[in-house]
């Protein structure tokens, strides 16, 4: 008989809820049973129990971890502050962890998350769904095979809606940073950045506020950052508040000597414009990388991108644990995304190019 896995779910209704489908992903996995769910909101807990078909329901997640045994636990809340404490509690039980992004509020917390999970001998992965989409793996292979020629540079943007600037950097920057690192298979080595208010004034530490969703300190309405990668490629990240209601620029553009690859959003729609320069007077062929994967891959009635990618992350975490190897969507990857976020502030405040990873692991705005 094939092994069956026991899953637990931690949510916080009204304070981060259940993230982006980190709970319902298990319903698409035939070999995983959801044993219990925890939520400190009584109505939210009842709703989650009904949604997940779970009878064992706890108002305190620590009580759930004490009384139940799990192979994997989803730490679902989008709000960031509780991640650190929740990860430590789950790691002590020996269960693997599927964690909503961002990984933590500060880099010293991220360092500790990596350490405790390594010492516990468990795998932990972040909900960076883009890197687990089949289209992104196909795109990575195409880049390696020279589909757009030599990679020259990249442009990364947030959603730039009402959250543009500091909030966009933390909330959506984590996705585009992770997508970009995965596709290039490279880490940032330096950053040079400018952060300003809407009227162009450079921010100071006095502008820092406690961000929404318990994301920690943030500042600025406009962000422009230049990153240098370990393979010599440079990339810009930009976010300007109140610019794009439809989120049309959110994603990554990778510019090569023979073409331009665009990754919309967090990785599910990928195309290649087969020219090194976009010119409306000379339309070139557009290659739909995502369609290539969907046409040649397995088909099914369930097509929700986030849920399917979450299932892939969970499967990868369980397989990596069984095979005693590093998972594809790891805590280290989540830490790198936060490294790039904090690097932006550290560079701006110092007025200089800053080497990555940062030596100071406390929040630059503190």
């Amino acid at each position: 008989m094939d092994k069956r896995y026991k899953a637990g779910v931690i949510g916080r209704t009204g304070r981060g809820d259940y993230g982006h489908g980190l709970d319902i992903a298990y319903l698409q996995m035939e070999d995983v049973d959801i044993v219990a769910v925890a939520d400190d909101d009584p109505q939210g807990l009842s709703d989650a129990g009904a949604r997940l078909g779970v009878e064992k329901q706890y108002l305190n997640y620590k009580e759930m971890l004490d009384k139940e045994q799990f192979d994997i636990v989803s730490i679902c809340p989008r709000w960031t502050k509780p991640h650190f404490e929740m990860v430590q509690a789950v790691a002590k039980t020996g269960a693997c962890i599927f964690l909503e992004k961002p990984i933590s509020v500060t880099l010293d917390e991220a360092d500790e998350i990596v350490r405790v999970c390594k010492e516990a001998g468990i795998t932990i992965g972040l909900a960076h769904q883009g890197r687990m989409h089949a289209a992104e793996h196909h795109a990575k292979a195409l880049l390696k095979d020279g589909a757009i020629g030599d990679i020259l540079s990249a442009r990364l943007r947030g959603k730039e809606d009402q959250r543009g600037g500091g909030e966009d950097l933390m909330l959506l920057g984590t996705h585009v940073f992770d997508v970009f690192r995965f596709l290039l298979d490279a880490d940032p080595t330096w950053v040079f950045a400018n952060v300003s208010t809407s009227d162009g004034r450079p921010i100071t530490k006095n502008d820092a506020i406690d961000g929404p969703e318990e994301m920690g300190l943030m500042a600025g309405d406009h962000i422009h950052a230049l990153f240098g990668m370990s393979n010599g490629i440079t990339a810009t990240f930009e976010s300007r508040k109140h610019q794009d209601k439809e989120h049309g620029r959110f994603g990554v553009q990778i510019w090569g000597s023979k073409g331009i690859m665009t990754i919309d959003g967090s990785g599910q729609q990928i195309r290649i414009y087969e020219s090194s320069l976009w010119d409306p007077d000379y339309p070139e062929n557009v290659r739909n990388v995502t369609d290539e994967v969907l046409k040649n891959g397995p088909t099914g009635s369930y097509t929700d991108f986030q849920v399917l990618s979450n299932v892939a992350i969970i499967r990868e975490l369980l397989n990596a644990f069984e095979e005693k190897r590093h998972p594809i969507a790891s805590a280290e990857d989540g830490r790198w995304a936060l490294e790039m976020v904090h690097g932006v502030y550290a560079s701006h405040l110092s007025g200089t190019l800053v080497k990555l990873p940062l030596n100071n692991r406390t929040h630059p705005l503190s």
Side-chain angles (χ1 to χ4, degrees):
M1 181 178 177
D2 292 337
K3 181 174 180 178
R4 298 195 64 80
Y5 296 95
K6 296 179 179 180
V9 172
I10 300 174
R12 289 201 319 169
T13 297
R15 298 187 298 155
D17 302 312
Y18 288 78
H20 295 87
L22 272 66
D23 56 338
I24 60 175
Y26 296 110
L27 299 177
Q28 300 299 317
M29 305 180 72
E30 294 183 355
D31 59 342
V32 178
D33 300 312
I34 306 176
V35 174
V37 59
D39 188 330
D40 59 10
D41 180 89
Q43 185 58 54
L45 178 62
S46 178
D47 292 343
R51 180 175 66 249
L52 302 175
V54 178
E55 293 184 1
K56 293 183 178 180
Q57 302 172 19
Y58 293 86
L59 287 169
N60 186 307
Y61 75 87
K62 293 182 178 179
E63 181 184 359
M64 179 184 77
L65 296 175
D66 285 339
K67 293 185 176 180
E68 308 293 342
Q69 290 187 329
F70 304 105
D71 296 298
I72 188 167
V73 174
S74 281
I75 298 176
C76 303
R78 291 191 323 276
W79 292 16
T80 313
K81 186 176 180 180
H83 290 182
F84 180 59
E85 181 179 318
M86 288 177 175
V87 167
Q88 290 182 308
V90 176
K92 291 178 181 179
T93 72
C96 298
I97 299 170
F98 182 24
L99 176 64
E100 180 60 281
K101 60 83 190 169
I103 185 171
S104 58
V105 172
T106 62
L107 286 169
D108 51 5
E109 288 182 352
D111 292 339
E112 185 67 6
I113 285 173
V114 170
R115 185 191 69 80
V116 298
C117 291
K118 184 176 181 180
E119 287 189 356
I122 61 173
T123 53
I124 172 174
L126 272 287
H128 285 139
Q129 292 91 355
R131 68 166 50 222
M132 294 306 296
H133 194 285
E136 195 156 326
H137 287 258
H138 182 43
K140 185 173 184 175
L142 290 175
L143 290 175
K144 187 176 181 179
D145 291 341
I148 64 171
D150 296 330
I151 299 175
L152 305 176
S153 63
R155 301 173 182 175
L156 289 63
R157 300 192 79 100
K159 284 191 175 180
E160 301 185 282
D161 52 16
Q162 74 279 4
R163 300 166 295 183
E167 186 177 351
D168 202 12
L169 175 67
M170 184 70 167
L171 191 63
L172 286 313
T174 182
H175 273 303
V176 294
F177 293 152
D178 187 71
V179 163
F180 181 59
R181 283 187 56 255
F182 176 74
L183 288 174
L184 262 65
D185 201 19
D187 297 324
T189 58
W190 57 264
V191 57
F192 185 65
N194 181 73
V195 184
S196 65
T197 59
S198 58
D199 60 1
R201 177 180 60 80
I203 64 105
T204 69
K205 287 187 178 182
N206 291 332
D207 293 300
I209 61 170
D210 285 320
E213 300 187 2
E214 297 181 352
M215 287 187 288
L217 294 173
M218 57 185 59
D221 302 314
H222 296 169
I223 291 173
H224 186 272
L226 176 66
F227 291 93
M229 306 300 288
S230 55
N231 58 1
I233 306 302
T234 55
T236 59
F237 173 84
E238 190 165 6
S239 175
R240 298 172 68 85
K241 201 168 188 177
H242 298 308
Q243 294 298 307
D244 191 350
K245 294 181 180 180
E246 300 301 325
H247 312 160
R249 290 188 294 269
F250 173 42
V252 178
Q253 292 182 349
I254 302 175
W255 291 65
S257 59
K258 297 180 180 179
I260 306 165
M261 178 178 285
T262 64
I263 303 95
D264 295 333
S266 56
Q268 62 268 42
Q269 183 58 60
I270 304 177
R271 300 179 180 89
I272 293 175
Y273 179 72
E274 295 184 332
S275 172
S276 60
L277 178 66
W278 183 81
D279 189 329
D281 294 327
Y282 299 97
E284 301 291 346
N285 182 55
V286 176
R287 180 176 177 180
N288 194 316
V289 175
T290 300
D291 278 359
E292 290 177 12
V293 171
L294 296 179
K295 289 177 181 177
N296 297 324
T299 59
S301 59
Y302 200 85
T303 58
D304 187 295
F305 158 71
Q306 280 191 335
V307 173
L308 291 176
S309 294
N310 284 342
V311 168
I313 295 173
I314 294 168
R315 180 65 61 204
E316 165 65 11
L317 290 173
L318 293 172
N319 288 343
F321 177 76
E322 298 286 354
E323 297 164 9
K324 300 190 182 306
R325 61 172 174 81
H326 203 66
I328 295 174
S330 69
E332 287 85 349
D333 293 310
R335 180 173 60 183
W336 266 116
L338 186 62
E339 194 88 52
M340 295 174 78
V341 170
H342 284 196
V344 168
Y345 290 123
S347 172
H348 168 80
L349 292 171
S350 69
T352 63
L353 180 149
V354 170
K355 298 288 187 180
L356 298 176
L358 296 172
N359 290 324
N360 186 347
R361 311 303 282 175
T362 59
H363 201 299
L365 291 171
S366 64

